[in-house]
Each structure stands twice: as structure tokens, then as C-alpha cells.
Amino acid sequence: MKISAEQNKDQVLKQGATLLIADNLEQVYGFLRPIIKKQRSQIIYVTYGGVLNKLVREISPSFIIDCTGSCSIQGSSGKHLLSGPGSLTELSLQLLSRCEKIDQPMVIFNSINLFLAHNDISLFKRFFMYLLTRNQQKSRSYLLIYLEDEHQTEVVPFLNSLVDNLVRL
């Protein structure tokens, strides 16, 4: 379902996956801030380096998975540094392990663009197909942040086929 930024933001909190498309991180911050403040579940923040520092300081995610291996985020109760940005098996195992330990977690994936900068498109598609189809069987919500760029003609239709909501800011 495609929802606009003006529509009920509670849709983003519901169980399932949401793809959030924006021009810049300030738009993402402005949209997410009130949503995250309402969030009752614990948040797992997966980053490839495109950190929303203001948001992370406010929400204090319960766990951060840093895919670059050099986390500079403070205020989280737990962190895991991957051995490198191409360590998708390690990312998958960490993410699924953390999700199993938390009741109805919200996973914020920042950002799809940076994921693509470190991994090829076919690997990207396999990873997210696995992650999001597995999500359908669990009570989790995923928020995928994507900043508009030249890859969107291939990436957005693919992700849109896997997510429950599409929000274009």
C-alpha cells in the first residue's frame, strides 16, 4: 500500500515492512521523529554509515549493528561491528538473532543506498528477498530508508514488491 507523508504515520509502526523514499536525511529525520517517539517496541538500528545522529540520540536504539565495522554512535545499550560491509551472512545472523530476543522489534535499515554501494544488485536482491519474506512470518516491523538516486528505477520497484507500505516524502 502506498501512503503519503500526510497520511496516518501510524501505518509505518504496524507490523510489516515500509520503504521510505526521500531526497535527503533531513526529510527522513523530520518524518521519523514523531513516529519513533510513539514506538513501544525496542529498536534495532542497522547502519552502513549514513547515520541519522539526531534521531539515534533521541531514540537510543536498544541495539546497533554497524556494517562498516567502525561505530561512532553513542547511547545504545548494545553494538555489534561487522567484519566489513560485505559480511551479509554475519549481518543476517546478527539481525535475526537480535530480533528473536526482542518482542515485536522495529528494525531501521539506514540506508539502502549505502548497502548498494558495498554490494552488487543481485546480492542486494537475494538478501532483501530472504530478509523480508522471512519477516512476514514474524511480528516485526522493518523500516528501509532509501534516498533517491540513479539506481531507483531498478531498486524501488523491486523493494516495493516486498514491502507492505511505500512512503515517498
Side-chain angles (χ1 to χ4, degrees), residues 3-166:
I3 60 175
S4 71
E6 293 78 38
Q7 287 176 318
N8 190 348
K9 292 181 180 180
D10 290 336
Q11 287 291 97
V12 174
L13 292 176
K14 289 188 177 176
Q15 182 178 320
T18 297
L19 174 60
L20 180 61
I21 301 173
D23 290 328
N24 59 61
L25 287 177
E26 280 301 315
Q27 280 183 317
V28 174
Y29 175 73
F31 180 78
L32 288 182
R33 188 171 183 265
I35 292 171
I36 298 301
K37 286 193 167 219
K38 288 183 188 177
Q39 180 67 18
R40 300 283 184 247
S41 301
Q42 292 185 25
I43 295 170
I44 300 171
Y45 188 81
V46 180
T47 180
Y48 263 85
V51 178
L52 291 168
N53 280 321
K54 292 190 287 187
L55 184 65
V56 171
R57 279 192 301 269
E58 282 187 41
I59 63 173
S60 247
S62 55
F63 200 79
I64 295 172
I65 300 174
D66 184 347
C67 301
T68 64
S70 60
C71 187
S72 62
I73 303 170
Q74 302 300 318
S76 173
S77 60
K79 297 177 187 132
H80 181 81
L81 305 179
L82 296 185
S83 18
S87 304
L88 298 184
T89 301
E90 186 182 359
L91 172 57
S92 179
L93 291 172
Q94 269 299 314
L95 190 54
L96 296 175
S97 167
R98 293 292 160 187
C99 284
E100 292 298 323
K101 295 175 184 174
I102 299 172
D103 185 38
Q104 298 181 339
M106 175 181 232
V107 178
I108 298 176
F109 206 102
N110 184 28
S111 78
I112 300 300
N113 306 67
L114 292 171
F115 183 97
L116 278 167
H118 295 285
N119 299 284
D120 70 34
I121 192 80
S122 64
L123 191 58
F124 161 82
K125 286 181 175 181
R126 285 195 315 266
F127 178 80
F128 278 97
M129 176 82 75
Y130 167 77
L131 187 68
L132 296 176
T133 54
R134 183 174 172 108
N135 179 61
Q136 292 171 349
Q137 304 158 2
K138 308 286 182 181
S139 57
R140 303 178 184 139
S141 40
Y142 279 86
L143 181 60
L144 310 175
I145 298 170
Y146 184 81
L147 300 178
E148 295 194 64
D149 68 3
E150 69 275 1
H151 298 291
Q152 72 187 42
T153 56
E154 186 171 2
V155 173
V156 172
F158 169 74
L159 287 174
N160 193 27
S161 71
L162 298 175
V163 298
D164 303 300
N165 302 303
L166 172 67

